[in-house]
């Protein structure tokens, strides 16, 4: 492990005697899970977690009722709350989130999977003010309907969900004990420019629909894109433990989005250079002169191979051998050690 400055503010919680054995179930990542990111089925949730419920949460912003999935064992002992966010093109019944609810069932955590205005293709979705408030309202719903330990409220997302997780963490840092963002989008306007090279993809049409137009510089749509992007707020999350992870071969969101997010939260001496980030984006490999480690205590041999790991202040960055993906065990084992002081 490289020596990095800053003091980690999370405190170690009780570590489970056995790690979650998702590998024994035939998967360790969302790509290996026996359902795609697009598949949504409440029956699949009920098969794995019979106590999970569909609930309706009234927005404190506009009064609209948004659905969510909620799990609570009913025990009265204060417990952690895991808030899991769906990704860009799916909604709250997204099946690849089921393993997180399985962990919560096995360890008596509460779990909530809010809809936050659904797929990212309309103005009220895509990290809008309404969507952010939906997530805050989901936390408050859980606190009102379960015995929640307020020092152990956790947030997880991947892709568009990771983008939203970083926004809500930055705008409401008082809530969270730990935040995990897999393959996040840091800046919607930059990602829009990147997708111009891939005109067959649907994402830019969805971005335009969400922002009210093409996000060209000096336009209202561009300003709206910045307002919905983590890059605008992320420095506000500097006191929260944040875990960023990105696949080196990701062709949907360049790995530099996670690296740039790391640079915002890290001590200046520990940031990655523009040259290194550009090299990684272009070559999909590490430059020889980049100092780091390939060891990480939260990744087992069945998880994606760690190519680079660095910690600084309250932020952790992992670049792994893989694509647009997330791994369950590292997420949950790391979160389990985080606690607000």
């Amino acid at each position: 492990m490289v020596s990095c400055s800053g003091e980690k503010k999370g405190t170690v919680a009780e570590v489970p005697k056995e790690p979650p054995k998702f590998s024994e179930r035939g998967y360790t990542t969302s790509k290996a899970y026996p359902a795609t990111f697009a598949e949504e089925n409440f029956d699949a949730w009920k098969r794995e977690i019979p106590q999970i419920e569909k609930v309706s949460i009234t927005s404190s912003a506009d009064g609209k009722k948004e659905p969510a999935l909620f799990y609570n064992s009913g025990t009265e002992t204060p417990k952690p709350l895991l808030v899991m966010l769906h990704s860009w093109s799916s909604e709250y019944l997204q099946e690849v989130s089921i393993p997180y609810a399985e962990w919560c069932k096995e360890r008596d955590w509460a779990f909530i999977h809010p809809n936050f205005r659904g797929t990212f293709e309309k103005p009220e979705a895509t990290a809008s003010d309404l969507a952010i408030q939906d997530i805050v309202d989901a936390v408050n719903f859980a606190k009102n309907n379960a015995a929640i330990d307020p020092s152990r409220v956790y947030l997880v997302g991947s892709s568009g969900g990771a983008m939203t997780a970083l926004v809500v963490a930055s705008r409401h840092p008082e809530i969270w004990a730990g935040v995990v963002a897999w393959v996040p989008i840091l800046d919607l306007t930059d990602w829009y420019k990147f997708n111009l090279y891939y005109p067959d993809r649907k994402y830019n049409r969805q971005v335009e629909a969400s922002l009210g137009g093409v996000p060209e510089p000096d336009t209202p749509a561009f300003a709206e894109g910045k307002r919905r992007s983590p890059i605008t707020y992320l420095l506000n999350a500097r006191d929260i433990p944040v875990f960023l992870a990105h696949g080196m071969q990701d062709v949907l969101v360049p790995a530099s989005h996670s690296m740039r997010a790391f640079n915002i939260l890290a001590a200046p001496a520990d940031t990655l250079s523009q040259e290194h980030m550009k090299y990684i984006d272009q070559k999909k490999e590490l430059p020889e002169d980049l100092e780091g480690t390939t060891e990480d205590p939260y990744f087992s041999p069945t998880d994606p191979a760690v190519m680079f790991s660095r910690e600084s202040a309250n932020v952790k960055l992992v670049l792994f051998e893989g694509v647009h993906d997330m791994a369950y065990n590292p997420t949950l084992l790391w979160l389990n050690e985080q606690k607000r002081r």
Side-chain angles (χ1 to χ4, degrees), residues 84-105:
M84 179 66 209
L85 303 184
H86 62 75
S87 60
W88 183 281
S89 300
S90 298
E91 299 194 355
Y92 76 110
L93 297 177
Q94 185 173 47
E95 292 179 47
V96 294
S97 298
I98 289 175
Y100 292 110
E102 291 180 306
W103 163 284
C104 293
K105 176 185 174 183

Side-chain angles (χ1 to χ4, degrees), residues 187-189 211 215 220-232:
D187 187 332
L188 271 174
T189 62
L211 304 184
F222 185 89
E224 186 65 17
K226 292 294 185 182
R227 201 173 68 83
R228 296 173 184 232
S229 297
I231 193 171
T232 301

Side-chain angles (χ1 to χ4, degrees), residues 181-202:
W182 288 89
V183 295
I185 300 161
L186 178 67
D187 187 332
L188 271 174
T189 62
D190 281 358
W191 192 55
Y192 182 92
K193 288 190 293 185
F194 168 76
N195 279 313
L196 291 174
Y197 294 98
Y198 304 94
D200 293 336
R201 293 179 178 175
K202 62 185 177 181

Side-chain angles (χ1 to χ4, degrees), residues 60-224:
S60 60
D62 68 350
K64 185 178 184 294
K65 292 184 181 297
E66 279 290 298
L69 291 178
F70 180 57
Y71 169 79
N72 174 37
S73 68
T75 61
E76 296 182 359
T77 304
K79 65 201 68 176
L81 170 64
L82 180 61
V83 182
M84 179 66 209
L85 303 184
H86 62 75
S87 60
W88 183 281
S89 300
S90 298
E91 299 194 355
Y92 76 110
L93 297 177
Q94 185 173 47
E95 292 179 47
V96 294
S97 298
I98 289 175
Y100 292 110
E102 291 180 306
W103 163 284
C104 293
K105 176 185 174 183
E106 292 168 4
R107 286 158 179 81
D108 196 20
W109 289 22
F111 171 87
I112 197 158
H113 200 270
N115 204 47
F116 61 104
R117 310 293 160 136
T119 57
F120 292 24
E121 57 187 5
K122 48 189 178 295
E124 59 269 30
T126 324
S128 70
D129 290 344
L130 291 172
I132 298 305
Q133 191 58 46
D134 286 342
I135 297 165
V136 175
D137 290 338
V139 173
N140 291 333
F141 176 93
K143 288 179 176 179
N144 290 332
N145 289 275
I148 302 299
D149 179 352
S151 71
R152 299 192 67 195
V153 178
Y154 305 125
L155 182 62
V156 179
S158 69
S159 192
M163 177 189 81
T164 309
L166 293 178
V167 173
V168 74
S170 303
R171 293 181 58 177
H172 296 277
E174 73 282 356
I175 296 175
W176 312 105
V179 177
V180 181
W182 288 89
V183 295
I185 300 161
L186 178 67
D187 187 332
L188 271 174
T189 62
D190 281 358
W191 192 55
Y192 182 92
K193 288 190 293 185
F194 168 76
N195 279 313
L196 291 174
Y197 294 98
Y198 304 94
D200 293 336
R201 293 179 178 175
K202 62 185 177 181
Y203 301 116
N204 274 4
R205 295 190 297 275
Q206 293 173 321
V207 170
E208 291 172 14
S210 297
L211 304 184
V214 176
E216 296 177 343
D218 300 319
T219 65
F222 185 89
E224 186 65 17

Side-chain angles (χ1 to χ4, degrees), residues 249-262:
Q249 290 76 41
D250 192 339
V251 296
L252 292 181
V253 180
S256 57
H257 282 253
S258 283
M259 292 185 279
R260 290 164 62 198
F262 175 83

